Amino acid sequence: MDKRRITINDIAAHAGVSRSTVSLVLQKHPRIPEETAEKVRQSIAALGYTYNRNAANLRRRTSQAIGLVINDIRNPFFAQLTSAVEERAAEAGYMVYLVESAEQPARQERLLESFIEHDVAGLIVCAATGTPPQAFDRFLAAGIPICMAVRPYPDARLDFAGSDNYGGAKMATQHLIDLGHRRIAFLGGERENPVRIDRLAGYFSGLDARGIAFDPALVVESRPSLTSGVADVNAVMRLEARPTAMLCYNDFVAMGVMHALRCAGLTPGEHMAVVGFDGMPETEITHPPLSTVQLYGRKIGSDAAELLISRIGDPARPPTRRVEQATLIVRASSGRPLNANGE
Amino acid sequence: MDKRRITINDIAAHAGVSRSTVSLVLQKHPRIPEETAEKVRQSIAALGYTYNRNAANLRRRTSQAIGLVINDIRNPFFAQLTSAVEERAAEAGYMVYLVESAEQPARQERLLESFIEHDVAGLIVCAATGTPPQAFDRFLAAGIPICMAVRPYPDARLDFAGSDNYGGAKMATQHLIDLGHRRIAFLGGERENPVRIDRLAGYFSGLDARGIAFDPALVVESRPSLTSGVADVNAVMRLEARPTAMLCYNDFVAMGVMHALRCAGLTPGEHMAVVGFDGMPETEITHPPLSTVQLYGRKIGSDAAELLISRIGDPARPPTRRVEQATLIVRASSGRPLNANGE
DNA sequence: CTGAAAGCGCTTACAG
DNA sequence: CTGAAAGCGCTTACAG
């Protein structure tokens, strides 16, 4: 088991050339005559040699690994982003270290430290809610490029790739208003989450543009999980003046909300309009199908990977922000209010 | 940007000690007096030094990285597994390289090669369907430990962590039979997928144990996606003798199946019993809630990580198989057949 | 075109 | 207890 690894020295000896020559063959250097190269390649095959990229990286002072920090890989949106990052990175010859912050800044801090130790070429980070300012100063000081993704982060020196959460929420809100709704709740998400802050701002703006007063009782916070929808619905159905529509922080919350409505004997899309956020594939086949603000996780992932790779190649490039439009997908869950036309 | 990295040489110079001493302090070697150690630690803080683990690994001929190969991170089951692997690995001081095979053996092959180049300490692999025998011989020859996960793979030299797919499918089948069903379809999944083969075997065995003849017309293959359920349902509803129950390859298929049934005017759990597989969280809040065979992705992930880490420590340990029991969760989607009691 | 030599940032016997 | 030296597997000027 503990056999010595085959190195270029072994190849050199076997092929009867020097170490340098082997190295140049590996790099497909044009100066090496085909005959020599072929001899070397045969030795490589014969001995079962594999290149040690870490050793090369150490010598070259480069790295072929990038780090990706997300909160929760089980969220399909982040899963899509991860998948796209991995794909683009592989195309460019990078491997990706995946790491979950679980929304804990202290844990994220440790993970960042270990990325430096492992000498990553760059980082894509969806910052945990509560990440302190200057959290990335060490990387900037060390010249390690960072691209922030998904979660807006107030540091103008950093590249960013994300979605137009504000515009998406505003669109969804106006859609509900145009349907005749006047009391529209905003359910779910945690208060300090910058993504929620943007969506909430879009919601406010959507109400405002149509001259509808904002009622704080209609905004409920919670952890954005499938099961939190129940509590969110209850909070808002207890009100004197109930809402007739619910804009949800994300699709998880919306699916939980639809379930809770049914448990209360209400049919989503009929007794209550429901709109989600993210565009998870499942929304297409819920009962009824869920209206949602479609985001593009894969696109954001590949945006982020591109920005990072381009910055690794050109550290002096000015910071870039890439914000993908959102699309409102209207399905059966968002119908007209009952009292508007007796539907 | 291109500043020289701070190294132990810088620390040594700053603290007025030798490189060796710094290295020993970093390793918390007991021989170093507290006074010296403190001086070194202060220099580390003052200069903003970060350990270069790659350099240390090269010298020590070890590695603190493990590779994880999965098919599709967007499948919640694999997302859970990944999350658990990452967590256990971090506890043991390893970083994880995540990579997707997209169910393509050739792509998987390239990824494996690049894991060797990046000098991983070990590998956890959910083998792509169609992975050839001996695909991992190079790793064994190089002494790089591998733990197979989820997908059974016929190589007795390798550790394995997975689920009891056979037992789970048998249990689900018998549950449907006990409810009074006699014509039970098995929908979805691709033919060569070893997980499907096990589940199908459990289905056969469940039928057989109750003396029910197997009808090949009731077994339909497809890519296991949300949308494939529609075609699966159609294939089987065209039959002269329709099924009264559907055991699905996984929850994605089952959710698609429920949607397709509704589109055809049938209510899942009433006109047709439906059972899924995997136990995705969403199954709890579908309408109706979906009966499913609960698997434990996190547990399998941590099993795999444990097996791998233990083998890295003891390469001679005999191969171990860890097979987690499955649990049948009965919900409203699996009711009695209509003709049995007019429900 | 090819080889000898220095060096990436670390560790680890080995002297002193 | 501390330092000088060799070496992990590679790359890259620099001679020849």
Side-chain angles (χ1 to χ4, degrees), chain A residues 61-128:
Chain A
R61 295 145 144 276
T62 62
S63 162
Q64 304 278 28
I66 66 179
L68 172 61
V69 184
I70 61 176
N71 331 278
D72 179 6
I73 186 69
R74 286 161 298 180
N75 182 324
F77 176 79
F78 287 107
Q80 291 205 317
L81 176 135
T82 299
S83 178
V85 166
E86 199 268 301
E87 185 176 329
R88 305 293 275 120
E91 285 168 19
Y94 290 90
M95 298 283 276
V96 3
Y97 283 121
L98 174 70
V99 125
E100 283 185 303
S101 72
E103 214 69 280
Q104 300 166 21
R107 177 168 169 177
Q108 177 177 271
E109 184 69 30
R110 283 196 301 280
L111 295 168
L112 291 175
E113 173 71 16
S114 99
F115 278 134
I116 307 189
E117 290 191 3
H118 282 271
D119 194 29
V120 294
L123 237 47
I124 294 172
V125 3
C126 309

Coordinates of all heavy atoms in Angstrom, one line a residue, chain A residues 61-128:
Chain A
R61 N 4.1 28.6 -7.9 CA 3.4 29.5 -7.1 C 2.0 29.8 -7.8 O 1.6 31.0 -7.9 CB 4.2 30.8 -6.9 CG 5.4 30.7 -6.2 CD 6.5 31.6 -6.7 NE 7.3 32.0 -5.5 CZ 7.0 33.1 -4.8 NH1 5.9 33.8 -5.0 NH2 7.8 33.4 -3.8
T62 N 1.4 28.8 -8.2 CA 0.0 29.0 -8.7 C -0.8 27.9 -7.9 O -0.4 27.2 -7.1 CB -0.1 28.7 -10.2 OG1 0.3 27.3 -10.4 CG2 0.8 29.6 -10.9
S63 N -2.1 27.8 -8.3 CA -3.0 26.9 -7.7 C -4.1 26.6 -8.7 O -4.5 27.4 -9.5 CB -3.6 27.4 -6.4 OG -4.7 26.7 -6.1
Q64 N -4.5 25.3 -8.7 CA -5.6 25.0 -9.6 C -6.9 24.6 -8.9 O -7.7 23.8 -9.4 CB -5.2 23.7 -10.5 CG -3.9 24.0 -11.3 CD -4.1 24.7 -12.5 OE1 -5.0 25.5 -12.7 NE2 -3.3 24.5 -13.5
A65 N -7.0 25.1 -7.7 CA -8.2 24.9 -6.9 C -8.9 26.2 -6.6 O -8.3 27.2 -6.3 CB -7.8 24.1 -5.7
I66 N -10.2 26.1 -6.6 CA -11.0 27.3 -6.1 C -11.9 26.8 -5.0 O -12.3 25.6 -4.9 CB -11.8 28.0 -7.2 CG1 -12.9 27.1 -7.7 CG2 -10.8 28.5 -8.3 CD1 -13.7 27.9 -8.8
G67 N -12.3 27.7 -4.1 CA -13.1 27.4 -3.0 C -14.5 27.9 -3.3 O -14.7 29.0 -3.8
L68 N -15.5 27.2 -2.8 CA -16.9 27.7 -3.0 C -17.6 27.5 -1.6 O -17.6 26.5 -1.0 CB -17.7 26.8 -4.0 CG -19.2 27.0 -4.1 CD1 -19.5 28.5 -4.5 CD2 -19.8 26.0 -5.1
V69 N -18.1 28.7 -1.1 CA -18.7 28.7 0.2 C -20.2 28.9 0.0 O -20.6 30.0 -0.6 CB -18.2 29.9 1.1 CG1 -18.9 29.8 2.4 CG2 -16.7 29.8 1.2
I70 N -21.0 28.0 0.4 CA -22.5 28.2 0.4 C -23.1 27.9 1.7 O -22.4 27.4 2.6 CB -23.2 27.4 -0.7 CG1 -23.0 25.9 -0.4 CG2 -22.7 27.8 -2.1 CD1 -23.7 25.1 -1.4
N71 N -24.4 28.2 1.9 CA -25.0 28.0 3.2 C -25.5 26.6 3.3 O -25.3 26.0 4.4 CB -26.2 28.9 3.3 CG -26.0 30.1 2.5 OD1 -25.4 31.1 3.0 ND2 -26.5 30.1 1.3
D72 N -26.2 26.1 2.3 CA -26.9 24.9 2.4 C -27.0 24.3 1.1 O -27.8 24.7 0.2 CB -28.3 25.1 3.0 CG -29.1 23.8 3.2 OD1 -28.5 22.7 2.9 OD2 -30.2 23.9 3.5
I73 N -26.3 23.2 0.8 CA -26.3 22.5 -0.5 C -27.7 21.9 -0.8 O -28.0 21.6 -1.9 CB -25.2 21.5 -0.5 CG1 -25.0 20.9 -1.9 CG2 -25.4 20.4 0.4 CD1 -24.5 21.9 -2.9
R74 N -28.5 21.7 0.2 CA -29.8 21.0 0.0 C -30.8 22.0 -0.6 O -31.8 21.5 -1.1 CB -30.3 20.4 1.3 CG -29.5 19.2 1.7 CD -29.7 18.8 3.1 NE -29.2 19.9 3.9 CZ -29.2 19.9 5.3 NH1 -29.7 18.9 5.9 NH2 -28.7 20.9 5.9
N75 N -30.5 23.2 -0.6 CA -31.4 24.2 -1.3 C -31.1 24.1 -2.8 O -30.0 24.3 -3.2 CB -31.1 25.6 -0.7 CG -32.0 26.6 -1.4 OD1 -32.4 26.5 -2.6 ND2 -32.4 27.6 -0.6
P76 N -32.2 23.7 -3.5 CA -32.0 23.4 -5.0 C -31.3 24.6 -5.7 O -30.6 24.4 -6.7 CB -33.4 23.2 -5.5 CG -34.2 22.8 -4.3 CD -33.6 23.5 -3.1
F77 N -31.6 25.8 -5.3 CA -31.0 27.0 -5.9 C -29.5 26.9 -5.8 O -28.8 27.1 -6.8 CB -31.6 28.2 -5.3 CG -30.9 29.5 -5.9 CD1 -31.3 30.0 -7.1 CD2 -29.9 30.1 -5.2 CE1 -30.7 31.1 -7.6 CE2 -29.3 31.2 -5.7 CZ -29.7 31.7 -6.9
F78 N -29.0 26.6 -4.6 CA -27.6 26.5 -4.4 C -27.0 25.3 -5.0 O -25.8 25.3 -5.5 CB -27.3 26.6 -2.9 CG -27.4 28.0 -2.3 CD1 -28.5 28.2 -1.5 CD2 -26.6 29.0 -2.6 CE1 -28.7 29.5 -0.9 CE2 -26.7 30.3 -2.1 CZ -27.8 30.5 -1.2
A79 N -27.8 24.3 -5.1 CA -27.3 23.0 -5.8 C -27.1 23.3 -7.2 O -26.1 22.9 -7.8 CB -28.3 21.9 -5.6
Q80 N -28.0 24.1 -7.9 CA -27.8 24.4 -9.3 C -26.6 25.3 -9.5 O -25.8 25.1 -10.4 CB -29.0 25.2 -9.8 CG -30.2 24.3 -9.9 CD -31.2 24.9 -10.9 OE1 -31.5 26.1 -10.9 NE2 -31.8 24.0 -11.7
L81 N -26.4 26.3 -8.6 CA -25.3 27.2 -8.6 C -24.0 26.3 -8.5 O -23.0 26.5 -9.3 CB -25.4 28.2 -7.5 CG -24.2 29.2 -7.4 CD1 -24.7 30.6 -7.2 CD2 -23.3 28.8 -6.2
T82 N -24.0 25.5 -7.5 CA -22.8 24.6 -7.3 C -22.4 23.8 -8.5 O -21.3 23.7 -9.0 CB -23.0 23.7 -6.1 OG1 -23.3 24.5 -5.0 CG2 -21.8 22.8 -5.9
S83 N -23.5 23.2 -9.1 CA -23.3 22.4 -10.3 C -22.6 23.2 -11.4 O -21.7 22.7 -12.1 CB -24.6 21.8 -10.7 OG -24.5 21.0 -11.9
A84 N -23.1 24.4 -11.6 CA -22.6 25.2 -12.7 C -21.2 25.7 -12.4 O -20.3 25.7 -13.3 CB -23.5 26.5 -12.9
V85 N -20.9 26.0 -11.2 CA -19.5 26.4 -10.8 C -18.6 25.3 -11.1 O -17.5 25.5 -11.7 CB -19.5 26.8 -9.3 CG1 -18.0 26.9 -8.8 CG2 -20.2 28.1 -9.0
E86 N -19.0 24.1 -10.6 CA -18.1 22.9 -10.8 C -17.8 22.7 -12.3 O -16.7 22.5 -12.7 CB -18.8 21.7 -10.2 CG -17.9 20.5 -9.9 CD -17.8 19.6 -11.1 OE1 -18.9 19.0 -11.5 OE2 -16.7 19.4 -11.6
E87 N -18.9 22.9 -13.1 CA -18.7 22.6 -14.5 C -17.8 23.6 -15.2 O -16.8 23.3 -15.9 CB -20.1 22.7 -15.2 CG -20.1 22.3 -16.7 CD -21.5 22.3 -17.2 OE1 -22.4 21.9 -16.5 OE2 -21.6 22.6 -18.4
R88 N -18.0 24.9 -14.9 CA -17.1 26.0 -15.5 C -15.7 25.8 -15.0 O -14.8 26.1 -15.7 CB -17.7 27.4 -15.2 CG -19.1 27.6 -15.6 CD -19.3 27.6 -17.0 NE -19.1 28.9 -17.6 CZ -18.2 29.1 -18.6 NH1 -17.4 28.1 -19.0 NH2 -18.0 30.3 -19.1
A89 N -15.6 25.5 -13.7 CA -14.2 25.4 -13.2 C -13.5 24.3 -13.8 O -12.3 24.4 -14.2 CB -14.3 25.2 -11.7
A90 N -14.2 23.1 -14.0 CA -13.5 22.0 -14.7 C -13.1 22.3 -16.1 O -12.0 22.0 -16.5 CB -14.5 20.8 -14.7
E91 N -13.9 23.1 -16.8 CA -13.5 23.5 -18.1 C -12.3 24.3 -18.1 O -11.5 24.2 -19.1 CB -14.7 24.3 -18.8 CG -15.9 23.6 -19.2 CD -17.0 24.5 -19.5 OE1 -16.8 25.7 -19.8 OE2 -18.2 24.0 -19.5
A92 N -12.1 25.1 -17.1 CA -10.9 25.9 -17.0 C -9.7 25.3 -16.3 O -8.7 25.9 -16.0 CB -11.3 27.3 -16.3
G93 N -9.9 24.0 -16.0 CA -8.8 23.3 -15.3 C -8.7 23.4 -13.8 O -7.7 23.1 -13.2
Y94 N -9.8 23.9 -13.2 CA -9.8 24.0 -11.7 C -10.6 22.9 -11.1 O -11.7 22.5 -11.6 CB -10.3 25.4 -11.3 CG -9.4 26.5 -11.7 CD1 -9.5 27.2 -12.9 CD2 -8.4 26.9 -10.8 CE1 -8.7 28.2 -13.2 CE2 -7.6 28.0 -11.1 CZ -7.7 28.6 -12.3 OH -6.9 29.6 -12.6
M95 N -10.2 22.5 -9.9 CA -11.1 21.7 -9.1 C -11.8 22.6 -8.1 O -11.2 23.7 -7.7 CB -10.2 20.7 -8.3 CG -9.5 19.7 -9.1 SD -10.6 18.4 -9.8 CE -10.5 17.3 -8.4
V96 N -12.9 22.2 -7.5 CA -13.6 23.0 -6.5 C -13.7 22.4 -5.2 O -14.2 21.2 -5.1 CB -14.9 23.7 -7.1 CG1 -15.2 23.4 -8.4 CG2 -16.0 23.6 -6.1
Y97 N -13.3 23.1 -4.2 CA -13.5 22.7 -2.8 C -14.9 23.2 -2.4 O -15.1 24.4 -2.4 CB -12.5 23.4 -1.9 CG -11.1 22.7 -1.9 CD1 -10.0 23.5 -2.2 CD2 -10.9 21.4 -1.5 CE1 -8.7 22.9 -2.2 CE2 -9.6 20.9 -1.4 CZ -8.5 21.6 -1.8 OH -7.3 21.1 -1.7
L98 N -15.8 22.4 -2.0 CA -17.1 22.8 -1.6 C -17.2 22.8 0.0 O -16.7 21.8 0.6 CB -18.2 21.9 -2.1 CG -19.6 22.2 -1.6 CD1 -20.1 23.5 -2.1 CD2 -20.5 21.0 -1.8
V99 N -17.8 23.8 0.5 CA -17.9 24.0 1.9 C -19.2 24.6 2.3 O -19.7 25.5 1.5 CB -16.6 24.8 2.3 CG1 -17.0 26.0 3.0 CG2 -15.6 23.9 2.9
E100 N -19.8 24.2 3.4 CA -21.1 24.8 3.8 C -20.9 25.6 5.1 O -20.4 25.2 6.1 CB -22.1 23.7 4.1 CG -22.7 23.1 2.9 CD -23.8 22.1 3.3 OE1 -23.5 21.1 4.1 OE2 -25.0 22.3 2.9
S101 N -21.4 26.8 5.1 CA -21.3 27.7 6.2 C -22.4 27.5 7.2 O -22.3 27.9 8.4 CB -21.3 29.2 5.8 OG -22.6 29.5 5.4
A102 N -23.5 26.8 6.8 CA -24.7 26.6 7.6 C -25.1 28.0 8.2 O -25.6 28.0 9.3 CB -24.4 25.6 8.7
E103 N -24.9 29.1 7.5 CA -25.3 30.4 7.9 C -24.6 30.8 9.2 O -25.2 31.7 9.9 CB -26.8 30.4 8.0 CG -27.5 31.6 7.7 CD -27.5 32.0 6.2 OE1 -26.5 32.5 5.7 OE2 -28.5 31.7 5.5
Q104 N -23.5 30.3 9.5 CA -22.8 30.6 10.8 C -21.5 31.4 10.4 O -20.5 30.8 10.0 CB -22.5 29.4 11.6 CG -23.7 28.6 12.0 CD -23.3 27.2 12.5 OE1 -22.1 27.0 12.9 NE2 -24.2 26.3 12.5
P105 N -21.4 32.7 10.7 CA -20.3 33.5 10.4 C -19.0 32.9 11.0 O -17.9 32.9 10.4 CB -20.6 34.8 10.9 CG -22.1 34.9 10.9 CD -22.6 33.5 11.2
A106 N -19.1 32.4 12.2 CA -17.8 31.9 12.9 C -17.3 30.7 12.1 O -16.1 30.5 11.9 CB -18.1 31.5 14.3
R107 N -18.2 29.8 11.7 CA -17.8 28.6 11.0 C -17.2 29.0 9.6 O -16.2 28.5 9.2 CB -19.0 27.7 10.8 CG -18.7 26.5 10.0 CD -19.9 25.5 10.0 NE -19.7 24.4 9.1 CZ -20.6 23.4 9.0 NH1 -21.6 23.3 9.8 NH2 -20.4 22.5 8.1
Q108 N -17.9 30.0 9.0 CA -17.4 30.5 7.7 C -16.0 31.0 7.9 O -15.1 30.8 7.0 CB -18.4 31.6 7.2 CG -18.0 32.2 5.9 CD -19.0 33.3 5.5 OE1 -19.9 32.9 4.8 NE2 -18.8 34.5 5.9
E109 N -15.7 31.7 8.9 CA -14.4 32.3 9.2 C -13.4 31.2 9.2 O -12.3 31.3 8.6 CB -14.5 32.9 10.6 CG -13.2 33.7 11.0 CD -13.0 34.9 10.1 OE1 -14.0 35.5 9.7 OE2 -11.8 35.3 9.9
R110 N -13.6 30.1 9.9 CA -12.7 29.0 10.0 C -12.5 28.4 8.6 O -11.4 28.0 8.2 CB -13.2 27.8 10.9 CG -13.1 28.1 12.4 CD -13.2 26.9 13.2 NE -14.5 26.2 13.0 CZ -15.6 26.6 13.6 NH1 -15.6 27.7 14.4 NH2 -16.8 25.9 13.4
L111 N -13.6 28.2 7.8 CA -13.5 27.6 6.5 C -12.6 28.5 5.6 O -11.8 28.0 4.8 CB -14.9 27.4 5.9 CG -15.7 26.4 6.7 CD1 -17.2 26.5 6.2 CD2 -15.2 25.0 6.5
L112 N -12.8 29.8 5.7 CA -12.0 30.7 4.9 C -10.5 30.6 5.2 O -9.7 30.5 4.3 CB -12.4 32.2 5.2 CG -13.8 32.5 4.6 CD1 -14.2 34.0 5.1 CD2 -13.9 32.4 3.1
E113 N -10.2 30.5 6.5 CA -8.8 30.3 6.9 C -8.3 29.0 6.3 O -7.1 29.0 5.8 CB -8.7 30.2 8.5 CG -7.4 29.8 9.0 CD -6.3 30.9 8.9 OE1 -6.8 32.1 8.6 OE2 -5.1 30.6 9.0
S114 N -9.1 27.9 6.3 CA -8.5 26.7 5.8 C -8.4 26.8 4.2 O -7.5 26.1 3.7 CB -9.3 25.5 6.3 OG -10.2 25.0 5.5
F115 N -9.2 27.6 3.6 CA -8.9 27.8 2.2 C -7.6 28.5 1.9 O -6.9 28.1 0.9 CB -10.0 28.7 1.6 CG -11.3 28.0 1.2 CD1 -12.5 28.5 1.6 CD2 -11.3 26.8 0.6 CE1 -13.7 27.9 1.3 CE2 -12.4 26.2 0.2 CZ -13.6 26.7 0.6
I116 N -7.2 29.4 2.7 CA -5.9 30.0 2.5 C -4.8 28.9 2.7 O -3.9 28.8 1.9 CB -5.6 31.2 3.5 CG1 -6.8 32.2 3.4 CG2 -4.3 31.9 3.2 CD1 -6.5 33.5 4.2
E117 N -4.9 28.1 3.8 CA -3.9 27.1 4.0 C -3.8 26.2 2.8 O -2.7 25.7 2.5 CB -4.4 26.2 5.3 CG -4.2 27.0 6.6 CD -4.4 26.0 7.8 OE1 -4.5 24.8 7.6 OE2 -4.4 26.5 8.9
H118 N -5.0 25.9 2.2 CA -4.9 24.9 1.1 C -4.6 25.7 -0.2 O -4.6 25.1 -1.3 CB -6.3 24.2 1.0 CG -6.4 23.1 2.0 ND1 -6.0 21.8 1.7 CD2 -6.9 23.1 3.2 CE1 -6.2 21.1 2.8 NE2 -6.7 21.8 3.7
D119 N -4.3 26.9 -0.1 CA -3.7 27.7 -1.2 C -4.6 27.7 -2.4 O -4.2 27.4 -3.5 CB -2.4 27.0 -1.5 CG -1.5 27.9 -2.4 OD1 -1.7 29.1 -2.4 OD2 -0.8 27.3 -3.3
V120 N -5.9 28.1 -2.2 CA -6.8 28.2 -3.3 C -6.4 29.4 -4.2 O -5.8 30.4 -3.8 CB -8.2 28.4 -2.9 CG1 -8.7 27.2 -2.2 CG2 -8.4 29.7 -2.0
A121 N -6.7 29.3 -5.5 CA -6.4 30.4 -6.5 C -7.5 31.5 -6.4 O -7.2 32.6 -6.8 CB -6.4 29.8 -7.9
G122 N -8.6 31.1 -5.8 CA -9.7 32.1 -5.7 C -10.9 31.5 -5.0 O -10.9 30.3 -4.7
L123 N -11.9 32.4 -4.7 CA -13.0 32.0 -3.9 C -14.3 32.5 -4.5 O -14.4 33.7 -4.9 CB -12.8 32.6 -2.5 CG -12.8 31.7 -1.3 CD1 -11.9 30.6 -1.5 CD2 -12.3 32.5 -0.1
I124 N -15.3 31.7 -4.4 CA -16.7 32.2 -4.7 C -17.5 32.0 -3.4 O -17.5 30.9 -2.8 CB -17.4 31.4 -5.8 CG1 -16.6 31.6 -7.1 CG2 -18.8 31.8 -5.9 CD1 -17.1 30.7 -8.2
V125 N -18.0 33.1 -2.9 CA -18.7 33.0 -1.6 C -20.1 33.6 -1.6 O -20.3 34.7 -2.0 CB -17.8 33.4 -0.4 CG1 -16.5 34.0 -0.8 CG2 -18.5 34.3 0.6
C126 N -21.0 32.8 -1.2 CA -22.4 33.2 -0.8 C -22.3 33.5 0.7 O -22.5 32.6 1.5 CB -23.4 32.2 -1.2 SG -23.2 31.5 -2.8
A127 N -22.1 34.7 1.0 CA -21.8 35.0 2.4 C -22.9 34.7 3.4 O -24.1 35.0 3.1 CB -21.5 36.5 2.6
A128 N -22.6 34.1 4.5 CA -23.5 33.8 5.6 C -24.1 35.1 6.0 O -23.4 36.1 6.1 CB -22.8 33.1 6.7

